[in-house]
Amino acid sequence: MRLVMLGTAGGPRPVVKRAAPAQAVLYRGEVHVIDCGNGVARQMAMAGISRRDLTATYITHHHADHMLDLGALPLIAWTDGCENVIDIYGPPGTASMTEDFLSMAWPEIEARTATTGRRAFPEMLRNTDVPEARVIRDENGLRVSTVLVDHPPFEVALGYRFDSDEGSVVFSGDTRFSPSLVELARGADVLVHEAIFPEALAAQAEGSKAETLIEHLTSCHTTAADAGRAAREAGVGTLVLSHLVPGSDVVSDEMWREAAASDFDGRIVVARDLQEIGLR
Ligand SMILES: [Zn+2]
Ligand SMILES: [Zn+2]
């Protein structure tokens, strides 16, 4: 089982050196993509990951940085020749977003189907909305389970855990420090956790209603130090800091690492786009 970080910046605003949040789990020829930030298909191309083998996508919640390419990624995979049924998991409302995307892209889908004879695209999409914590998939040696994490104002925001005979990896999605996430991550090889750096948030808030945005960031997300605490309490082997806010160079790798290390003495990786992370 391989873990590839496709995009590592948090928030909807593009930054120069990091793409929007997305990760790939590759196992037995299947490609599983966790979150579909804007540009995820291109990041897969950059990482050398086949879109034809796209098996399933997993949306953590409905902030734009996590779902903007929810429909675009499967559509691009289809134009690449993917013929799989693609499972789309996400909080309630995800299936209707897929339907909305099909309406928006219908002229393209109809035209391309007519000119290429491809398999009907809508038939390839299989939606599963996930309203509560449970095992959502157990196929081909890979088990995927979820919990509800705490990311106001969303009622449902999901963390995901992937287990196979080659290891385990957990994705926090966006959350403030969340005991349910700690439970999900118990004993995992790798925990990919979102992180903010409160002392540097002014850079992120530039041009917005700064006070309101900073209030949201500090009350609905997790500091690198608390991501370290979650990793320690869960007893994971490796903590990967990603969905970095701010995602610019204002905060160096060393600053991120030091903050997380204040409460965790395992391996800490400050994620980079396209980086592959060994599970053990
Ligand atoms: Zn986010
Ligand atoms: Zn969010």
Side-chain angles (χ1 to χ4, degrees):
M1 186 159 77
R2 297 172 58 206
L3 165 63
V4 180
M5 306 301 293
L6 295 172
T8 59
R13 182 181 298 171
V15 294
V16 174
K17 292 186 182 166
R18 296 180 185 277
Q23 296 97 174
V25 168
L26 313 176
Y27 184 66
R28 292 187 180 172
E30 295 183 347
V31 175
H32 300 261
V33 175
I34 299 88
D35 275 332
C36 291
N38 185 225
V40 59
R42 182 161 192 274
Q43 292 302 105
M44 289 172 72
M46 305 265 282
I49 296 172
S50 162
R51 290 174 303 274
R52 282 182 167 219
D53 297 326
L54 182 63
T55 308
T57 65
Y58 306 80
I59 304 299
T60 59
H61 67 294
H62 291 154
H63 265 140
D65 46 328
H66 300 260
M67 63 64 173
L68 267 187
D69 283 2
L70 159 83
L73 175 58
L75 182 109
I76 291 169
W78 173 68
T79 68
D80 282 336
C82 175
E83 296 197 330
N84 298 337
V85 168
I86 300 167
D87 278 302
I88 301 173
Y89 301 94
T94 306
S96 72
M97 289 178 180
T98 304
E99 290 302 317
D100 291 345
F101 177 83
L102 287 172
S103 303
M104 185 201 81
W106 195 248
E108 141 71 21
I109 293 164
E110 204 171 35
R112 195 172 302 275
T113 307
T115 52
T116 63
R118 286 192 199 289
R119 179 178 181 179
F121 178 59
E123 285 176 9
M124 288 171 50
L125 306 181
R126 184 165 61 198
N127 276 278
T128 306
D129 283 1
V130 182
E132 77 265 303
R134 62 184 173 90
V135 174
I136 57 168
R137 185 182 182 91
D138 197 350
E139 275 177 49
N140 197 23
L142 187 67
R143 191 174 73 241
V144 186
S145 36
T146 60
V147 289
L148 267 56
V149 295
D150 202 5
H151 187 50
F154 292 104
E155 252 171 59
V156 178
L158 299 167
Y160 289 95
R161 174 171 178 141
F162 291 70
D163 285 286
S164 77
D165 59 353
E166 294 177 2
S168 49
V169 56
V170 174
F171 301 94
S172 69
D174 284 7
T175 184
R176 56 188 174 201
F177 180 85
S178 167
S180 61
L181 196 262
V182 171
E183 274 316 303
L184 183 73
R186 184 84 51 209
D189 293 308
V190 175
L191 169 60
V192 178
H193 206 297
E194 69 128 287
I196 61 169
F197 205 94
E199 297 80 2
L201 288 177
Q204 187 78 10
E206 199 182 322
S208 316
K209 291 185 173 168
E211 262 174 38
T212 313
L213 180 59
I214 289 177
E215 163 62 21
H216 162 73
L217 289 169
T218 51
S219 63
C220 306
H221 292 271
T222 304
T223 62
D226 273 347
R229 179 184 156 206
R232 176 179 54 77
E233 289 188 8
V236 303
T238 298
L239 169 64
V240 178
L241 298 176
S242 190
H243 189 282
L244 302 175
V245 178
S248 65
D249 289 339
V250 178
V251 184
S252 69
D253 284 9
E254 217 29 62
M255 289 160 74
W256 284 112
R257 191 173 292 110
E258 254 176 42
S262 63
D263 212 350
F264 177 61
D265 58 10
R267 179 169 74 129
I268 297 170
V269 177
V270 182
R272 298 255 161 201
D273 283 19
L274 311 181
Q275 182 177 16
E276 176 163 354
I277 292 163
L279 297 190
R280 287 170 178 159

PDB file of all heavy atoms in Angstrom, residues 57 82 86 90 114 170 184 221 229 247 273 275:
ATOM      1  N   THR A  57     -13.302   7.719  -4.676  1.00  0.00           N
ATOM      2  CA  THR A  57     -12.914   8.986  -4.057  1.00  0.00           C
ATOM      3  C   THR A  57     -13.655   9.116  -2.727  1.00  0.00           C
ATOM      4  O   THR A  57     -14.746   8.558  -2.556  1.00  0.00           O
ATOM      5  CB  THR A  57     -13.218  10.202  -4.948  1.00  0.00           C
ATOM      6  OG1 THR A  57     -14.629  10.316  -5.104  1.00  0.00           O
ATOM      7  CG2 THR A  57     -12.578  10.079  -6.312  1.00  0.00           C
ATOM      8  N   CYS A  82     -10.786   5.519 -18.456  1.00  0.00           N
ATOM      9  CA  CYS A  82     -11.175   4.727 -17.284  1.00  0.00           C
ATOM     10  C   CYS A  82     -12.553   4.111 -17.532  1.00  0.00           C
ATOM     11  O   CYS A  82     -13.459   4.801 -18.012  1.00  0.00           O
ATOM     12  CB  CYS A  82     -11.220   5.631 -16.046  1.00  0.00           C
ATOM     13  SG  CYS A  82     -11.810   4.815 -14.553  1.00  0.00           S
ATOM     14  N   ILE A  86     -16.712   3.976 -10.432  1.00  0.00           N
ATOM     15  CA  ILE A  86     -15.975   4.790  -9.463  1.00  0.00           C
ATOM     16  C   ILE A  86     -16.898   5.073  -8.275  1.00  0.00           C
ATOM     17  O   ILE A  86     -17.960   5.671  -8.438  1.00  0.00           O
ATOM     18  CB  ILE A  86     -15.508   6.116 -10.113  1.00  0.00           C
ATOM     19  CG1 ILE A  86     -14.589   5.819 -11.308  1.00  0.00           C
ATOM     20  CG2 ILE A  86     -14.813   6.999  -9.080  1.00  0.00           C
ATOM     21  CD1 ILE A  86     -14.327   7.030 -12.197  1.00  0.00           C
ATOM     22  N   GLY A  90     -18.837  10.352   0.718  1.00  0.00           N
ATOM     23  CA  GLY A  90     -18.747  11.685   1.311  1.00  0.00           C
ATOM     24  C   GLY A  90     -19.907  11.905   2.258  1.00  0.00           C
ATOM     25  O   GLY A  90     -20.799  11.055   2.379  1.00  0.00           O
ATOM     26  N   ALA A 114     -20.922  10.676 -27.865  1.00  0.00           N
ATOM     27  CA  ALA A 114     -21.293  10.499 -29.277  1.00  0.00           C
ATOM     28  C   ALA A 114     -20.067  10.350 -30.162  1.00  0.00           C
ATOM     29  O   ALA A 114     -20.071   9.570 -31.121  1.00  0.00           O
ATOM     30  CB  ALA A 114     -22.133  11.694 -29.739  1.00  0.00           C
ATOM     31  N   VAL A 170      -4.454   6.948   8.299  1.00  0.00           N
ATOM     32  CA  VAL A 170      -5.658   7.662   8.728  1.00  0.00           C
ATOM     33  C   VAL A 170      -5.572   9.108   8.243  1.00  0.00           C
ATOM     34  O   VAL A 170      -4.504   9.727   8.308  1.00  0.00           O
ATOM     35  CB  VAL A 170      -5.792   7.622  10.260  1.00  0.00           C
ATOM     36  CG1 VAL A 170      -6.966   8.477  10.730  1.00  0.00           C
ATOM     37  CG2 VAL A 170      -5.950   6.186  10.735  1.00  0.00           C
ATOM     38  N   LEU A 184     -10.141   6.636  16.018  1.00  0.00           N
ATOM     39  CA  LEU A 184      -9.999   6.047  14.680  1.00  0.00           C
ATOM     40  C   LEU A 184      -8.543   5.719  14.377  1.00  0.00           C
ATOM     41  O   LEU A 184      -8.235   4.728  13.728  1.00  0.00           O
ATOM     42  CB  LEU A 184     -10.542   7.011  13.615  1.00  0.00           C
ATOM     43  CG  LEU A 184     -10.528   6.495  12.167  1.00  0.00           C
ATOM     44  CD1 LEU A 184     -11.618   5.442  11.956  1.00  0.00           C
ATOM     45  CD2 LEU A 184     -10.720   7.644  11.171  1.00  0.00           C
ATOM     46  N   HIS A 221     -10.077  24.314  13.442  1.00  0.00           N
ATOM     47  CA  HIS A 221      -8.930  23.554  12.935  1.00  0.00           C
ATOM     48  C   HIS A 221      -8.011  23.174  14.097  1.00  0.00           C
ATOM     49  O   HIS A 221      -8.321  23.459  15.251  1.00  0.00           O
ATOM     50  CB  HIS A 221      -8.175  24.370  11.876  1.00  0.00           C
ATOM     51  CG  HIS A 221      -8.973  24.551  10.606  1.00  0.00           C
ATOM     52  ND1 HIS A 221      -8.933  23.660   9.561  1.00  0.00           N
ATOM     53  CD2 HIS A 221      -9.843  25.518  10.237  1.00  0.00           C
ATOM     54  CE1 HIS A 221      -9.746  24.062   8.594  1.00  0.00           C
ATOM     55  NE2 HIS A 221     -10.315  25.197   8.987  1.00  0.00           N
ATOM     56  N   ARG A 229      -0.317  16.083  19.703  1.00  0.00           N
ATOM     57  CA  ARG A 229      -1.028  15.461  20.834  1.00  0.00           C
ATOM     58  C   ARG A 229      -1.926  14.321  20.350  1.00  0.00           C
ATOM     59  O   ARG A 229      -1.955  13.235  20.945  1.00  0.00           O
ATOM     60  CB  ARG A 229      -1.868  16.534  21.532  1.00  0.00           C
ATOM     61  CG  ARG A 229      -2.664  16.037  22.701  1.00  0.00           C
ATOM     62  CD  ARG A 229      -3.557  17.174  23.266  1.00  0.00           C
ATOM     63  NE  ARG A 229      -4.703  16.640  23.976  1.00  0.00           N
ATOM     64  CZ  ARG A 229      -5.860  17.288  24.131  1.00  0.00           C
ATOM     65  NH1 ARG A 229      -6.035  18.499  23.607  1.00  0.00           N
ATOM     66  NH2 ARG A 229      -6.847  16.741  24.799  1.00  0.00           N
ATOM     67  N   GLY A 247      -0.068  28.025   3.933  1.00  0.00           N
ATOM     68  CA  GLY A 247       0.663  27.074   3.093  1.00  0.00           C
ATOM     69  C   GLY A 247       1.857  27.695   2.391  1.00  0.00           C
ATOM     70  O   GLY A 247       2.490  27.053   1.555  1.00  0.00           O
ATOM     71  N   ASP A 273       3.939  18.512  -1.655  1.00  0.00           N
ATOM     72  CA  ASP A 273       3.181  17.993  -2.787  1.00  0.00           C
ATOM     73  C   ASP A 273       3.987  16.908  -3.497  1.00  0.00           C
ATOM     74  O   ASP A 273       5.202  17.056  -3.690  1.00  0.00           O
ATOM     75  CB  ASP A 273       2.884  19.120  -3.786  1.00  0.00           C
ATOM     76  CG  ASP A 273       1.745  20.017  -3.321  1.00  0.00           C
ATOM     77  OD1 ASP A 273       1.419  20.011  -2.129  1.00  0.00           O
ATOM     78  OD2 ASP A 273       1.183  20.733  -4.179  1.00  0.00           O
ATOM     79  N   GLN A 275       4.872  14.076  -2.595  1.00  0.00           N
ATOM     80  CA  GLN A 275       5.742  13.246  -1.763  1.00  0.00           C
ATOM     81  C   GLN A 275       5.085  11.896  -1.490  1.00  0.00           C
ATOM     82  O   GLN A 275       3.900  11.833  -1.166  1.00  0.00           O
ATOM     83  CB  GLN A 275       5.998  13.971  -0.430  1.00  0.00           C
ATOM     84  CG  GLN A 275       6.913  13.257   0.520  1.00  0.00           C
ATOM     85  CD  GLN A 275       7.171  14.065   1.793  1.00  0.00           C
ATOM     86  OE1 GLN A 275       6.444  15.022   2.088  1.00  0.00           O
ATOM     87  NE2 GLN A 275       8.168  13.683   2.550  1.00  0.00           N
TER      88      GLN A 275
END
